[in-house]
Amino acid sequence: MRIKRGTIILIITCVIIVILGIISMPQIYKMLNTSGVDVVENNTSKKDNDTKEEISKDSEVVSTLVYPVMHNDISITDSYYKNDSIKISDLSNNDILYNAFLNIYPGYINSDNSISFDSNYLISRIENIFGPKTGYNLVDFTVPSGAFSEYTGVFNYDSTTKRYTFNKIDNTNNVIYYDIKSIYDASSPNDYTITTSFDIAFVKIENNKYTLYKDYNYTDEISSGDYTSMESLENMLTTLDTKKYQYTFRKDTCNYDSYCFYEGKWLNE
């Protein structure tokens, strides 16, 4: 089959155009780059990468932060709030262990014959709440009344099986001393830190009556009345003269891109 002369010329022309395009591509790219086209794209990309979520008290990440229990025993007034500030080093070994336990997924706790769990789950929660460099010992620990847990009692450790087994302790308190807080601010001073600020008050509950105090010594009364729930008391805090407390959480001391508790301190306002 003979190919027409016009077709041959068209094919040759197309080939020449493709070759010229390939040869000219570096010059075209250089010209576009010099003209600023690529610079605009890079600036746009950089702007997108620099954009980060503005942290507020309503941010999702703030709702995932894990706070240590500050008031261990609800039968007495003593709490960590008596300190100007606290860090992980101020927590006892028992406090580190039981705070971690409180955050173990319930499905990991075996309750067929006895309430027990593998110590690996406890280790994982310690590292995710306080950080992998936290110092602790796997020994027996007590979940105190201030944790408001269904597992108030002693967890005994078996170093052979590396499992904890629960022994319940019943607590009956006619008078409860505790702290309540309400978040009013959250921010991120840098890429690896979140701070949360709270109104704090201290409550005594007796015979279905509450008394709120401004100080951790339970001496400066700011409100009293019939007790209905902790939540109702928390909702009152924004209208009362309360002290302010700030927690700091850091990502650079934590695992898996989460934020670990770093410090708690009173604010001078």
Side-chain angles (χ1 to χ4, degrees), residues 211-262:
T211 307
L212 276 180
Y213 299 89
K214 184 175 182 178
D215 62 316
Y216 51 80
N217 291 319
Y218 293 77
T219 57
D220 189 359
E221 181 180 328
I222 53 177
S223 179
S224 62
D226 294 327
Y227 174 73
T228 55
S229 67
M230 288 289 188
E231 183 179 4
S232 65
L233 295 179
E234 291 171 0
N235 292 335
M236 295 171 53
L237 294 186
T238 56
T239 64
L240 298 173
D241 180 22
T242 60
K243 291 186 175 181
K244 315 297 181 183
Y245 199 84
Q246 184 180 83
Y247 291 92
T248 299
F249 297 83
R250 289 176 56 166
K251 184 187 294 186
D252 59 333
T253 63
C254 215
N255 280 342
Y256 309 116
D257 201 37
S258 55
Y259 288 86
C260 285
F261 169 76
Y262 178 75

Side-chain angles (χ1 to χ4, degrees), residues 87-101:
K87 290 189 176 182
I88 302 169
S89 57
D90 297 309
L91 301 178
S92 69
N93 190 72
N94 188 84
D95 292 348
I96 290 173
L97 295 182
Y98 92 73
N99 271 280
F101 165 75

Side-chain angles (χ1 to χ4, degrees), residues 170-182:
D170 292 322
N171 286 296
T172 55
N173 297 296
N174 295 323
V175 182
I176 291 177
Y177 297 94
Y178 205 63
D179 52 84
I180 56 174
K181 61 180 183 289
S182 177

